[in-house]
Amino acid sequence: MDTIASGDTVQVNYTCRIEDGSILVTTRKEVAHDASARLSHAYIPPTSYAPVMIPVGKEVRLPDKPVVHPLTGEIAVCLSKQLEGLTYEDTHHLTVTTEAVADLPKMERYMQYARTMRRPKQRSIPKAQFVANTGQEPVAGATLFADRAMPWKVLNVSADSVEVQYLLTEGQKVMMPYGEAMVRDRGDHYDLEIEVRPGDLVRVGSYIGRIVDISDKLFFVDFEHPFGGRELACEVTATHINESPDRMKDPASEGSDNAVKNQ
């Protein structure tokens, strides 16, 4: 079996888990949509599932000033340093760690969020996004994610959009990217009262943060560490491709979108 060498360009599929064994991120749709999969509350489906192209051993260009690193981009950078010497096509179990971003400005490092979040009882989703998130075509009357915290019912399907209804009840507990929440039925909408705890991970768009402080109405998240200070246990499979690394996107930029975190 051929081994991966420095300078190779590889196509990588990975599934990374946190310490309780739940999935934080994966490039494989079949893994995320497996009914038995344990998804972390901080897991968010990507726009599309696809392997990541990584130039092995390529030196990463550092930004001119400290910036928050997106989760998937940081994983790609870490893997580019660990793949050399491993075999192609085999599944390898790697521990992925990274350092905190030094000298990150406070306005970039800390964000605050409401402990109670309002959600409509039903909403319209672009059809393409629905398919990407669920892995299937919408069918009116179908219930999705029945085994997950926040199941949906498809109400109507048009050419470009899907109308869905959340199937929630008063007093129900659900998992959100910020942690467990209590459902409060307010008639025309739901209030989700988040039970935040210091040290818990949260997911905001492309970024992972850690809860560091809590007040009566707000909680505060630190984005200094791309993995929230955790080690990730990753299952990784690499396939060789022939594209020149010089033509490829810097892996550190994968998934970067500061506008998402600052919404």
Side-chain angles (χ1 to χ4, degrees):
M1 184 72 70
D2 290 341
T3 59
I4 302 169
S6 180
D8 285 358
T9 300
V10 299
Q11 203 168 21
V12 175
N13 273 303
Y14 60 77
T15 298
C16 295
R17 306 171 190 270
I18 55 178
E19 66 275 6
D20 66 359
S22 61
I23 296 170
L24 183 63
V25 62
T26 183
T27 62
R28 296 182 179 274
K29 182 170 70 174
E30 66 273 17
V31 171
H33 293 164
D34 188 324
S36 63
R38 290 183 57 214
L39 301 180
S40 165
H41 72 268
Y43 176 85
I44 294 180
T47 304
S48 62
Y49 291 92
V52 178
M53 289 192 297
I54 298 178
V56 179
K58 182 180 179 181
E59 184 176 350
V60 176
R61 297 186 299 273
L62 296 177
D64 295 332
K65 62 178 182 178
V67 295
V68 177
H69 294 178
L71 172 65
T72 54
E74 191 68 16
I75 289 174
V77 169
C78 293
L79 292 179
S80 72
K81 302 173 184 177
Q82 297 189 53
L83 291 172
E84 184 177 357
L86 302 181
T87 50
Y88 281 108
E89 309 299 341
D90 289 331
T91 298
H92 301 279
H93 297 268
L94 303 177
T95 299
V96 178
T97 61
T98 189
E99 299 295 326
V101 181
D103 302 319
L104 193 63
K106 284 188 176 181
M107 290 294 290
E108 287 289 323
R109 177 174 175 178
Y110 298 105
M111 298 294 292
Q112 64 183 34
Y113 302 92
R115 295 181 62 179
T116 298
M117 297 192 176
R118 178 173 173 150
R119 292 290 183 269
K121 288 193 170 182
Q122 62 188 61
R123 65 186 180 110
S124 181
I125 302 173
K127 192 173 181 180
Q129 180 184 335
F130 179 97
V131 174
N133 288 351
T134 65
Q136 57 187 281
E137 291 291 329
V139 177
T143 298
L144 291 92
F145 310 126
D147 59 333
R148 304 284 169 84
M150 297 181 69
W152 300 351
K153 181 177 181 180
V154 179
L155 298 179
N156 296 292
V157 181
S158 67
D160 299 319
S161 65
V162 182
E163 193 78 19
V164 300
Q165 178 184 34
Y166 289 115
L167 302 179
L168 302 176
T169 58
E170 170 69 26
Q172 179 182 352
K173 289 191 174 183
V174 299
M175 272 296 179
M176 300 180 65
Y178 311 99
E180 191 173 59
M182 179 76 74
V183 177
R184 299 301 184 193
D185 191 332
R186 305 304 187 195
D188 63 340
H189 71 277
Y190 297 112
D191 279 343
L192 303 177
E193 299 174 350
I194 305 169
E195 300 175 7
V196 292
R197 297 177 298 184
D200 278 1
L201 292 183
V202 300
R203 179 78 176 267
V204 180
S206 302
Y207 304 90
I208 287 288
R210 182 173 58 88
I211 297 173
V212 292
D213 198 11
I214 300 168
S215 68
D216 288 342
K217 295 183 179 181
L218 301 171
F219 63 97
F220 302 84
V221 179
D222 183 355
F223 290 94
E224 181 187 36
H225 196 289
F227 302 158
R230 312 295 180 88
E231 289 186 348
L232 305 184
C234 299
E235 302 153 19
V236 181
T237 305
T239 302
H240 188 271
I241 57 177
N242 296 319
E243 185 172 353
S244 168
D246 293 335
R247 296 176 56 197
M248 292 179 57
K249 188 177 180 181
D250 188 340
S253 67
E254 286 293 315
S256 59
D257 184 2
N258 280 310
V260 174
K261 183 175 75 67
N262 292 320
Q263 285 181 349

